[in-house]
Amino acid sequence: MSEQVRIRIQSIDERLARIRQEKSRLLARASQDERKRDTRRKILIGGAVLAAVDHEGVPALRSRAELLKWLEAQLTRPNDRAVFSLSVAPEARSR
């Protein structure tokens, strides 16, 4: 094998190592972002339940769809609604 071929192979190996490292960083960041989003969802659900207990009570929620429908009326802040992929609240659009 010629020196030129060895140098080319070494260059490709180094580039491959950098790409794998970048992939690893991106996957770690995505995982961390999803954990933060999951924690935020749990905090918002807990807050909505606590607020409802003090006021109107919490309806029987038997599925994720029912929970999301109930949260649709409870969450007003656009950032909070985005955590559950809910559309922007009508009153928030008019602001």
Side-chain angles (χ1 to χ4, degrees):
M1 188 180 326
S2 73
E3 184 64 24
Q4 197 173 25
V5 170
R6 258 181 265 179
I7 292 171
R8 178 90 171 117
I9 290 173
Q10 183 180 358
S11 170
I12 290 171
D13 284 343
E14 289 169 359
R15 192 170 352 140
L16 185 58
R18 284 192 306 271
I19 290 170
R20 284 185 176 144
Q21 188 177 26
E22 169 118 15
K23 178 184 175 187
S24 226
R25 275 195 309 270
L26 289 172
L27 288 172
R29 187 179 313 142
S31 177
Q32 182 181 22
D33 289 347
E34 184 51 39
R35 281 193 308 275
K36 285 180 182 178
R37 185 177 164 102
D38 186 54
T39 300
R40 184 71 183 142
R41 278 192 293 259
K42 290 172 183 173
I43 290 169
L44 290 170
I45 290 170
V49 167
L50 288 173
V53 165
D54 289 342
H55 299 299
E56 73 274 0
V58 180
L61 303 169
R62 294 178 188 89
S63 69
R64 183 178 179 86
E66 288 179 3
L67 173 63
L68 291 174
K69 185 176 178 185
W70 181 70
L71 286 173
E72 181 85 39
Q74 303 300 314
L75 301 175
T76 57
R77 293 177 46 211
N79 290 344
D80 293 346
R81 296 176 67 77
V83 172
F84 293 96
S85 301
L86 299 173
S87 61
V88 177
E91 58 275 2
R93 279 188 222 138
S94 62
R95 290 180 188 167

